Amino acid sequence: MASSTEYRHNRRENADIQQQDDSITVNSVDRATNDSVKETPLPWDMLLVLLAVRLSEPINATLILPFAYQMVADFNVAKSPKDIAFYASLLFASFSVCQTLTVMYWARLSDRIGRRPVLVVGLVGYLVSFLLFGVSRSFTWALVARCINGLLAGNVAVIKSVMAEISDDTNRPRMMALIPLMWNVGSVAGAAVGGIFADPVHQYPNLFGSSKIFRTFPYLLPCLIGCSVTVFGLTMAVFKLKETLVKEPALIEHVSSSATRQSSPSSPSLATETTHLIQEDTRKPVELKQPHQRTVGELLTPTVIRTMATNTVMGLGIAMSEQAYPIFAASDPVDGGLGFASRGIGFSLAIAGVTVLYLQLVTYPRLEHKYGALSCYRTGQKFLIPAYLAMPFLSLLAAGANKAVVGYANEAEPLPWASLRECILWLLLVLVMLAKTTGAVLAFTSVNLLTANLAPSRAELGFMNGLQQVALCGTRVVGPIVAGGAFSWSIKHSLPYPFNSHLVWVLCAVMTAISLQMSSKIPESVNTFLAGQSSRDIDDNAETEA
């Protein structure tokens, strides 16, 4: 019979070669059994702190989306208006480039020194770098500030590890759903703040017309609001966050005490006198296993590679769409855009996110409990494909819409009554954004669960979450550059569909369709949280499967 350590390493490979019918049957039995298990109450004392820490990143990430296009235009770095999209995409991608270089380091560092100090350093990095971004006077300055932000942004992988450590099998889906929930809440708030408070001197001349600081730094006000959220998260982390990384001494002590009792069953005083010596002897063979030192090759099983691969391709499509939308929305309808100004962009980004909160809080945990994370992951991608393909067709309606309604004209004036065409435009835009956001929620929430399930023990949670974050960071590096370049290229050339202004959205749909096909190769066994099983459970399962 294989040892416990060997079983942990080979469990995923064994699952890969199991017949699909057997996998489905086993998981069906497991879920039927879990239906009778009551969900453990959520540890809100820790969760509230983690959610406050998590909120700072999406707010800071999406806050620049409504005004990035205008900000680049103000820097006068683009040779023509059609080149602005490319430079804006560089600004978006710089954060992810630097985050990709360091996120694995922060994740592994949290496995060694603890989760709390890494989270605190990340929050300080957010605060300093975003203040620098708010006072940018040139494109180079803004680019450097975004790079500093990315180099210190490793918190999301660490937060996922903490979530896995403070949860169990009954409440983990609901807790993991809170991570993308906070992203959507932060995205809604960030987009709204960025759109409403950017360039306040011109948007609200009666309030800020005499402000010299906001005239000199037109994008400082939204950045200050974003920094206030980071300060709140930092305060909570410093004073309320508890360390969750445990070196697992309980098993060693249990083995030591058992050996002591067996060696001296009738001599309690002798056992007490020699306890330290016996523990020293029994610890040594346990330490030789070195559960914290699995190599990368041992951890990269076929199932891990397949899951990370489909996650990367899916994430690339989402990253491209997230960066393409503000450029698409700000572009003139003649160029295949919507003609929105900053307030219209912020409003359109926020409106779908508000509706999806119910999905993450209530609907997703029920869907995952009934169908499993892998099935929810595939369903999310099926929502994304039609949403991507439908988005560029909205430009046809925007071409004849009242510009004051969509936020193109003077935004300080009251909006007139909308025409039927304008109402249809916003109704369809909301529906498309809702479908897109719903798909992203199902996909990202599910892949967070699947990533945690892939870890063979709690000691590798940081590595797995860091690996996933590296993959996502890579997509956020390539995505903005490809999206901005493809959109700029497509509007410069008069080519037929799909090489016209629809090109970037068609590419997003193709990426998602490829990811959906790749996910069909992932076994159903990834629905099981392997790291949450005790050594005794693992040995029992090994004997059963043998």
Side-chain angles (χ1 to χ4, degrees):
M1 182 182 66
S3 66
S4 174
T5 302
E6 292 172 342
Y7 175 74
R8 286 173 181 259
H9 169 57
N10 294 320
R11 180 175 173 84
R12 292 300 178 200
E13 287 86 339
N14 294 337
D16 289 344
I17 61 175
Q18 287 178 341
Q19 294 183 358
Q20 187 70 12
D21 292 341
D22 293 341
S23 298
I24 296 174
T25 302
V26 170
N27 281 278
S28 299
V29 173
D30 291 342
R31 293 195 175 277
T33 303
N34 290 336
D35 288 340
S36 60
V37 179
K38 186 177 180 180
E39 180 180 307
T40 304
L42 299 182
W44 285 109
D45 55 337
M46 281 286 290
L47 271 180
L48 292 177
V49 179
L50 290 173
L51 297 181
V53 173
R54 176 64 180 134
L55 189 61
S56 61
E57 182 177 341
I59 287 181
N60 291 336
T62 61
L63 189 145
I64 74 168
L65 295 180
F67 63 76
Y69 189 91
Q70 186 59 45
M71 187 182 199
V72 172
D74 292 344
F75 290 148
N76 295 319
V77 68
K79 296 180 180 180
S80 70
K82 293 185 177 181
D83 291 324
I84 295 176
F86 175 73
Y87 285 96
S89 66
L90 292 180
L91 203 59
F92 295 143
S94 59
F95 171 88
S96 299
V97 169
C98 295
Q99 188 182 37
T100 304
L101 297 175
T102 59
V103 67
M104 201 66 201
Y105 167 78
W106 294 118
R108 287 301 252 176
L109 183 63
S110 75
D111 284 338
R112 297 197 304 270
I113 68 172
R115 318 298 186 193
R116 184 173 177 272
V118 174
L119 291 174
V120 170
V121 170
L123 289 169
V124 173
Y126 289 154
L127 180 62
V128 174
S129 59
F130 219 63
L131 283 174
L132 292 175
F133 185 82
V135 297
S136 299
R137 298 294 302 275
S138 67
F139 181 78
T140 301
W141 188 332
L143 195 65
V144 171
R146 290 285 287 173
C147 289
I148 295 174
N149 194 348
L151 289 172
L152 297 172
N155 279 4
V156 61
V158 182
I159 289 173
K160 291 176 184 177
S161 298
V162 176
M163 287 282 197
E165 287 167 337
I166 65 174
S167 62
D168 58 34
D169 290 339
T170 65
N171 60 15
R172 186 169 297 106
R174 190 176 297 275
M175 289 180 64
M176 284 298 183
L178 294 175
I179 297 178
L181 171 64
M182 295 312 296
W183 176 268
N184 279 286
V185 171
S187 298
V188 170
V193 169
I196 293 173
F197 295 102
D199 197 7
V201 171
H202 293 95
Q203 284 207 70
Y204 311 104
N206 295 334
L207 293 176
F208 299 99
S210 60
S211 175
K212 294 182 179 180
I213 187 171
F214 293 131
R215 186 177 297 275
T216 304
F217 306 110
Y219 307 104
L220 176 60
L221 181 58
C223 292
L224 288 176
I225 296 174
C227 287
S228 66
V229 178
T230 303
V231 169
F232 176 73
L234 179 60
T235 303
M236 294 288 286
V238 170
F239 295 103
K240 296 291 185 180
L241 185 62
K242 300 176 183 178
E243 183 57 63
T244 60
L245 181 64
V246 179
K247 300 299 183 180
E248 298 182 348
L251 178 61
I252 298 175
E253 292 176 1
H254 174 73
V255 173
S256 302
S257 59
S258 298
T260 303
R261 288 194 300 269
Q262 290 175 4
S263 62
S264 315
S266 59
S267 306
S269 59
L270 182 59
T272 302
E273 293 172 358
T274 60
T275 295
H276 176 72
L277 295 176
I278 294 176
Q279 286 178 335
E280 287 289 331
D281 292 336
T282 56
R283 279 195 181 113
K284 289 180 180 178
V286 175
E287 290 178 349
L288 290 177
K289 295 180 181 180
Q290 295 182 342
H292 301 285
Q293 302 298 321
R294 284 186 178 88
T295 65
V296 174
E298 291 173 334
L299 292 171
L300 292 180
T301 64
T303 299
V304 170
I305 294 173
R306 291 190 191 104
T307 304
M308 293 301 169
T310 180
N311 178 30
T312 301
V313 178
M314 179 271 298
L316 179 59
I318 291 180
M320 290 173 59
S321 69
E322 287 179 344
Q323 306 307 325
Y325 177 75
I327 298 172
F328 161 75
S331 298
D332 194 278
V334 176
D335 293 326
L338 298 179
F340 287 11
S342 59
R343 187 185 296 182
I345 297 172
F347 182 72
S348 62
L349 286 170
I351 193 168
V354 173
T355 310
V356 84
L357 298 182
Y358 179 83
L359 173 69
Q360 286 192 293
L361 285 174
V362 180
T363 307
Y364 180 81
R366 295 175 180 174
L367 292 175
E368 193 282 334
H369 184 72
K370 184 174 182 180
Y371 300 106
L374 184 58
S375 178
C376 292
Y377 177 65
R378 293 166 179 161
T379 302
Q381 295 179 85
K382 293 176 183 178
F383 270 89
L384 289 171
I385 294 173
Y388 291 149
L389 295 175
M391 183 69 75
F393 286 100
L394 297 177
S395 179
L396 300 176
L397 288 171
N402 188 317
K403 291 183 177 181
V405 173
V406 298
Y408 190 90
N410 187 353
E411 295 183 276
E413 297 179 358
L415 297 177
W417 288 101
S419 66
L420 177 61
R421 190 169 190 159
E422 293 152 1
C423 291
I424 294 175
L425 169 63
W426 277 95
L427 177 61
L428 293 179
L429 178 60
V430 169
L431 291 176
V432 172
M433 292 293 286
L434 181 59
K436 176 179 173 294
T437 309
T438 301
V441 168
L442 289 174
F444 271 129
T445 306
S446 300
V447 85
N448 288 337
L449 281 170
L450 297 177
T451 300
N453 292 348
L454 291 171
S457 73
R458 294 181 185 272
E460 279 78 32
L461 281 171
F463 174 84
M464 285 300 173
N465 288 316
L467 184 63
Q468 182 209 15
Q469 197 60 31
V470 167
L472 292 179
C473 289
T475 65
R476 291 169 184 168
V477 171
V478 178
I481 297 175
V482 173
F487 190 80
S488 294
W489 181 87
S490 64
I491 63 177
K492 289 179 180 178
H493 300 79
S494 299
L495 296 176
Y497 181 89
F499 300 104
N500 54 2
S501 58
H502 293 234
L503 177 60
V504 64
W505 300 106
V506 172
L507 290 176
C508 293
V510 170
M511 291 289 103
T512 308
I514 293 173
S515 174
L516 180 60
Q517 176 61 30
M518 292 170 64
S519 68
S520 64
K521 304 295 184 181
I522 301 176
E524 294 288 334
S525 59
V526 295
N527 287 317
T528 303
F529 183 56
L530 184 60
Q533 295 184 337
S534 65
S535 299
R536 187 178 204 175
D537 293 334
I538 292 172
D539 289 337
D540 291 343
N541 291 335
E543 292 177 2
T544 301
E545 293 186 5

Tab-separated table of all heavy atoms in Angstrom, residues 147-186:
chain	number	residue	atom	x	y	z
A	147	CYS	N	3.368	50.439	-12.387
A	147	CYS	CA	4.332	49.347	-12.231
A	147	CYS	C	4.633	49.092	-10.757
A	147	CYS	O	4.713	47.943	-10.315
A	147	CYS	CB	5.614	49.673	-12.983
A	147	CYS	SG	5.468	49.607	-14.779
A	148	ILE	N	4.807	50.147	-9.976
A	148	ILE	CA	5.050	49.988	-8.541
A	148	ILE	C	3.860	49.304	-7.877
A	148	ILE	O	4.026	48.411	-7.034
A	148	ILE	CB	5.315	51.362	-7.890
A	148	ILE	CG1	6.612	51.971	-8.440
A	148	ILE	CG2	5.390	51.241	-6.375
A	148	ILE	CD1	6.862	53.381	-7.967
A	149	ASN	N	2.672	49.706	-8.287
A	149	ASN	CA	1.460	49.079	-7.753
A	149	ASN	C	1.463	47.588	-8.026
A	149	ASN	O	1.171	46.763	-7.151
A	149	ASN	CB	0.236	49.745	-8.390
A	149	ASN	CG	-1.056	49.415	-7.660
A	149	ASN	OD1	-1.105	48.537	-6.809
A	149	ASN	ND2	-2.107	50.127	-8.004
A	150	GLY	N	1.815	47.202	-9.256
A	150	GLY	CA	1.819	45.793	-9.625
A	150	GLY	C	2.877	44.980	-8.899
A	150	GLY	O	2.633	43.833	-8.499
A	151	LEU	N	4.058	45.557	-8.688
A	151	LEU	CA	5.138	44.833	-8.011
A	151	LEU	C	4.763	44.459	-6.582
A	151	LEU	O	5.226	43.439	-6.051
A	151	LEU	CB	6.408	45.683	-7.999
A	151	LEU	CG	7.119	45.860	-9.347
A	151	LEU	CD1	8.240	46.877	-9.218
A	151	LEU	CD2	7.652	44.530	-9.868
A	152	LEU	N	3.921	45.246	-5.948
A	152	LEU	CA	3.553	45.006	-4.554
A	152	LEU	C	2.154	44.390	-4.406
A	152	LEU	O	1.642	44.281	-3.290
A	152	LEU	CB	3.614	46.325	-3.763
A	152	LEU	CG	5.007	46.969	-3.689
A	152	LEU	CD1	4.920	48.353	-3.066
A	152	LEU	CD2	5.956	46.092	-2.898
A	153	ALA	N	1.556	43.981	-5.528
A	153	ALA	CA	0.178	43.484	-5.492
A	153	ALA	C	0.151	41.965	-5.506
A	153	ALA	O	-0.040	41.344	-6.552
A	153	ALA	CB	-0.603	44.046	-6.679
A	154	GLY	N	0.337	41.350	-4.342
A	154	GLY	CA	0.247	39.897	-4.251
A	154	GLY	C	-0.817	39.427	-3.292
A	154	GLY	O	-0.854	38.248	-2.912
A	155	ASN	N	-1.724	40.335	-2.923
A	155	ASN	CA	-2.660	40.016	-1.838
A	155	ASN	C	-3.724	39.000	-2.207
A	155	ASN	O	-4.162	38.220	-1.359
A	155	ASN	CB	-3.333	41.297	-1.343
A	155	ASN	CG	-2.458	42.076	-0.386
A	155	ASN	OD1	-1.320	41.691	-0.144
A	155	ASN	ND2	-2.970	43.162	0.146
A	156	VAL	N	-4.170	38.997	-3.456
A	156	VAL	CA	-5.307	38.145	-3.782
A	156	VAL	C	-4.959	36.668	-3.609
A	156	VAL	O	-5.780	35.879	-3.100
A	156	VAL	CB	-5.806	38.431	-5.216
A	156	VAL	CG1	-4.732	38.155	-6.242
A	156	VAL	CG2	-7.052	37.623	-5.529
A	157	ALA	N	-3.755	36.238	-3.988
A	157	ALA	CA	-3.369	34.837	-3.811
A	157	ALA	C	-3.295	34.475	-2.337
A	157	ALA	O	-3.677	33.366	-1.928
A	157	ALA	CB	-2.016	34.574	-4.481
A	158	VAL	N	-2.823	35.407	-1.511
A	158	VAL	CA	-2.714	35.159	-0.072
A	158	VAL	C	-4.103	35.087	0.562
A	158	VAL	O	-4.372	34.244	1.423
A	158	VAL	CB	-1.861	36.251	0.601
A	158	VAL	CG1	-1.709	35.970	2.089
A	158	VAL	CG2	-0.487	36.331	-0.062
A	159	ILE	N	-5.007	35.963	0.135
A	159	ILE	CA	-6.370	35.958	0.673
A	159	ILE	C	-7.067	34.641	0.365
A	159	ILE	O	-7.792	34.080	1.198
A	159	ILE	CB	-7.160	37.147	0.110
A	159	ILE	CG1	-6.637	38.457	0.710
A	159	ILE	CG2	-8.651	37.005	0.413
A	159	ILE	CD1	-7.246	39.698	0.099
A	160	LYS	N	-6.868	34.103	-0.828
A	160	LYS	CA	-7.463	32.809	-1.177
A	160	LYS	C	-6.938	31.705	-0.256
A	160	LYS	O	-7.700	30.807	0.140
A	160	LYS	CB	-7.163	32.472	-2.633
A	160	LYS	CG	-7.878	33.360	-3.638
A	160	LYS	CD	-7.440	33.028	-5.054
A	160	LYS	CE	-8.069	33.965	-6.066
A	160	LYS	NZ	-7.599	33.698	-7.440
A	161	SER	N	-5.668	31.770	0.091
A	161	SER	CA	-5.102	30.773	1.003
A	161	SER	C	-5.726	30.887	2.384
A	161	SER	O	-6.045	29.875	3.024
A	161	SER	CB	-3.578	30.959	1.093
A	161	SER	OG	-2.967	30.768	-0.156
A	162	VAL	N	-5.913	32.113	2.864
A	162	VAL	CA	-6.537	32.318	4.174
A	162	VAL	C	-7.967	31.797	4.154
A	162	VAL	O	-8.423	31.139	5.102
A	162	VAL	CB	-6.503	33.807	4.563
A	162	VAL	CG1	-7.234	34.025	5.888
A	162	VAL	CG2	-5.068	34.300	4.673
A	163	MET	N	-8.698	32.071	3.077
A	163	MET	CA	-10.079	31.593	2.949
A	163	MET	C	-10.137	30.072	3.052
A	163	MET	O	-11.005	29.506	3.727
A	163	MET	CB	-10.669	32.045	1.613
A	163	MET	CG	-11.007	33.510	1.534
A	163	MET	SD	-12.558	33.893	2.377
A	163	MET	CE	-12.915	35.495	1.675
A	164	ALA	N	-9.217	29.397	2.366
A	164	ALA	CA	-9.204	27.934	2.398
A	164	ALA	C	-8.854	27.416	3.791
A	164	ALA	O	-9.356	26.366	4.217
A	164	ALA	CB	-8.213	27.394	1.368
A	165	GLU	N	-8.012	28.149	4.509
A	165	GLU	CA	-7.565	27.701	5.833
A	165	GLU	C	-8.614	27.879	6.915
A	165	GLU	O	-8.630	27.136	7.896
A	165	GLU	CB	-6.283	28.457	6.210
A	165	GLU	CG	-5.066	27.994	5.426
A	165	GLU	CD	-3.875	28.927	5.570
A	165	GLU	OE1	-4.076	30.117	5.900
A	165	GLU	OE2	-2.745	28.476	5.349
A	166	ILE	N	-9.499	28.841	6.782
A	166	ILE	CA	-10.495	29.093	7.830
A	166	ILE	C	-11.861	28.501	7.483
A	166	ILE	O	-12.831	28.729	8.193
A	166	ILE	CB	-10.639	30.604	8.107
A	166	ILE	CG1	-11.194	31.338	6.888
A	166	ILE	CG2	-9.311	31.205	8.546
A	166	ILE	CD1	-11.486	32.808	7.136
A	167	SER	N	-11.933	27.731	6.383
A	167	SER	CA	-13.200	27.146	5.970
A	167	SER	C	-13.136	25.632	6.041
A	167	SER	O	-12.075	25.042	6.264
A	167	SER	CB	-13.552	27.585	4.536
A	167	SER	OG	-12.565	27.134	3.635
A	168	ASP	N	-14.298	24.995	5.849
A	168	ASP	CA	-14.349	23.541	5.734
A	168	ASP	C	-15.191	23.190	4.509
A	168	ASP	O	-15.628	24.074	3.771
A	168	ASP	CB	-14.893	22.885	7.008
A	168	ASP	CG	-16.293	23.382	7.372
A	168	ASP	OD1	-17.089	23.664	6.438
A	168	ASP	OD2	-16.591	23.493	8.575
A	169	ASP	N	-15.433	21.889	4.305
A	169	ASP	CA	-16.126	21.457	3.093
A	169	ASP	C	-17.554	21.981	2.997
A	169	ASP	O	-18.095	22.112	1.898
A	169	ASP	CB	-16.149	19.922	3.014
A	169	ASP	CG	-14.766	19.349	2.749
A	169	ASP	OD1	-13.918	20.106	2.236
A	169	ASP	OD2	-14.521	18.170	3.060
A	170	THR	N	-18.184	22.287	4.134
A	170	THR	CA	-19.579	22.704	4.105
A	170	THR	C	-19.757	24.173	3.758
A	170	THR	O	-20.768	24.565	3.174
A	170	THR	CB	-20.256	22.429	5.466
A	170	THR	OG1	-19.638	23.256	6.476
A	170	THR	CG2	-20.121	20.962	5.852
A	171	ASN	N	-18.800	25.028	4.121
A	171	ASN	CA	-18.980	26.460	3.874
A	171	ASN	C	-17.961	27.055	2.898
A	171	ASN	O	-17.981	28.255	2.635
A	171	ASN	CB	-18.927	27.250	5.184
A	171	ASN	CG	-17.610	27.092	5.932
A	171	ASN	OD1	-16.613	26.624	5.383
A	171	ASN	ND2	-17.608	27.472	7.197
A	172	ARG	N	-17.061	26.221	2.365
A	172	ARG	CA	-16.032	26.744	1.479
A	172	ARG	C	-16.597	27.354	0.200
A	172	ARG	O	-16.134	28.418	-0.220
A	172	ARG	CB	-15.009	25.650	1.140
A	172	ARG	CG	-13.820	26.159	0.334
A	172	ARG	CD	-12.709	25.118	0.237
A	172	ARG	NE	-12.185	24.810	1.559
A	172	ARG	CZ	-12.439	23.679	2.211
A	172	ARG	NH1	-13.185	22.745	1.640
A	172	ARG	NH2	-11.946	23.462	3.412
A	173	PRO	N	-17.595	26.736	-0.473
A	173	PRO	CA	-18.141	27.385	-1.671
A	173	PRO	C	-18.677	28.783	-1.405
A	173	PRO	O	-18.454	29.703	-2.184
A	173	PRO	CB	-19.256	26.411	-2.115
A	173	PRO	CG	-18.831	25.090	-1.586
A	173	PRO	CD	-18.164	25.386	-0.267
A	174	ARG	N	-19.398	28.936	-0.286
A	174	ARG	CA	-19.952	30.256	0.027
A	174	ARG	C	-18.838	31.266	0.324
A	174	ARG	O	-18.915	32.431	-0.075
A	174	ARG	CB	-20.908	30.149	1.213
A	174	ARG	CG	-21.728	31.408	1.464
A	174	ARG	CD	-22.720	31.184	2.590
A	174	ARG	NE	-23.682	30.161	2.256
A	174	ARG	CZ	-24.789	30.381	1.567
A	174	ARG	NH1	-25.068	31.589	1.138
A	174	ARG	NH2	-25.626	29.406	1.304
A	175	MET	N	-17.790	30.813	1.006
A	175	MET	CA	-16.695	31.719	1.339
A	175	MET	C	-15.892	32.084	0.102
A	175	MET	O	-15.507	33.248	-0.085
A	175	MET	CB	-15.797	31.094	2.405
A	175	MET	CG	-16.447	31.022	3.778
A	175	MET	SD	-15.381	30.276	5.039
A	175	MET	CE	-14.066	31.465	5.101
A	176	MET	N	-15.614	31.111	-0.768
A	176	MET	CA	-14.877	31.413	-1.983
A	176	MET	C	-15.673	32.322	-2.915
A	176	MET	O	-15.102	33.101	-3.687
A	176	MET	CB	-14.511	30.119	-2.712
A	176	MET	CG	-13.352	29.368	-2.071
A	176	MET	SD	-11.817	30.328	-2.086
A	176	MET	CE	-10.670	29.164	-1.354
A	177	ALA	N	-17.003	32.239	-2.839
A	177	ALA	CA	-17.839	33.130	-3.655
A	177	ALA	C	-17.696	34.582	-3.223
A	177	ALA	O	-17.988	35.496	-4.002
A	177	ALA	CB	-19.301	32.698	-3.571
A	178	LEU	N	-17.258	34.801	-1.987
A	178	LEU	CA	-17.102	36.174	-1.500
A	178	LEU	C	-15.921	36.882	-2.159
A	178	LEU	O	-15.896	38.122	-2.205
A	178	LEU	CB	-16.912	36.164	0.021
A	178	LEU	CG	-18.113	35.699	0.848
A	178	LEU	CD1	-17.745	35.625	2.316
A	178	LEU	CD2	-19.296	36.625	0.643
A	179	ILE	N	-14.935	36.129	-2.669
A	179	ILE	CA	-13.773	36.767	-3.297
A	179	ILE	C	-14.182	37.482	-4.582
A	179	ILE	O	-13.933	38.690	-4.727
A	179	ILE	CB	-12.660	35.739	-3.549
A	179	ILE	CG1	-12.154	35.172	-2.213
A	179	ILE	CG2	-11.505	36.385	-4.321
A	179	ILE	CD1	-11.093	34.107	-2.367
A	180	PRO	N	-14.812	36.803	-5.550
A	180	PRO	CA	-15.287	37.550	-6.716
A	180	PRO	C	-16.423	38.510	-6.383
A	180	PRO	O	-16.632	39.490	-7.103
A	180	PRO	CB	-15.746	36.453	-7.683
A	180	PRO	CG	-15.968	35.255	-6.843
A	180	PRO	CD	-15.006	35.350	-5.708
A	181	LEU	N	-17.167	38.226	-5.304
A	181	LEU	CA	-18.198	39.171	-4.877
A	181	LEU	C	-17.576	40.517	-4.551
A	181	LEU	O	-18.052	41.568	-4.988
A	181	LEU	CB	-18.943	38.626	-3.655
A	181	LEU	CG	-19.897	39.616	-2.971
A	181	LEU	CD1	-21.035	40.007	-3.904
A	181	LEU	CD2	-20.451	39.037	-1.684
A	182	MET	N	-16.488	40.501	-3.789
A	182	MET	CA	-15.814	41.747	-3.444
A	182	MET	C	-15.201	42.388	-4.674
A	182	MET	O	-15.105	43.614	-4.760
A	182	MET	CB	-14.756	41.495	-2.372
A	182	MET	CG	-15.312	41.032	-1.041
A	182	MET	SD	-16.708	42.037	-0.461
A	182	MET	CE	-15.944	43.637	-0.228
A	183	TRP	N	-14.768	41.566	-5.624
A	183	TRP	CA	-14.266	42.148	-6.864
A	183	TRP	C	-15.375	42.914	-7.575
A	183	TRP	O	-15.172	44.021	-8.081
A	183	TRP	CB	-13.693	41.063	-7.774
A	183	TRP	CG	-13.255	41.614	-9.104
A	183	TRP	CD1	-13.985	41.700	-10.251
A	183	TRP	CD2	-11.981	42.210	-9.396
A	183	TRP	NE1	-13.254	42.300	-11.237
A	183	TRP	CE2	-12.018	42.628	-10.747
A	183	TRP	CE3	-10.823	42.423	-8.651
A	183	TRP	CZ2	-10.935	43.247	-11.363
A	183	TRP	CZ3	-9.743	43.035	-9.266
A	183	TRP	CH2	-9.805	43.446	-10.604
A	184	ASN	N	-16.579	42.331	-7.629
A	184	ASN	CA	-17.687	43.006	-8.295
A	184	ASN	C	-18.138	44.238	-7.527
A	184	ASN	O	-18.436	45.275	-8.128
A	184	ASN	CB	-18.862	42.035	-8.476
A	184	ASN	CG	-18.675	41.128	-9.674
A	184	ASN	OD1	-18.809	41.532	-10.817
A	184	ASN	ND2	-18.336	39.878	-9.408
A	185	VAL	N	-18.182	44.127	-6.188
A	185	VAL	CA	-18.528	45.305	-5.393
A	185	VAL	C	-17.500	46.412	-5.613
A	185	VAL	O	-17.845	47.583	-5.828
A	185	VAL	CB	-18.612	44.941	-3.893
A	185	VAL	CG1	-18.748	46.189	-3.035
A	185	VAL	CG2	-19.785	44.004	-3.635
A	186	GLY	N	-16.216	46.034	-5.563
A	186	GLY	CA	-15.164	47.015	-5.794
A	186	GLY	C	-15.181	47.565	-7.204
A	186	GLY	O	-14.910	48.751	-7.422
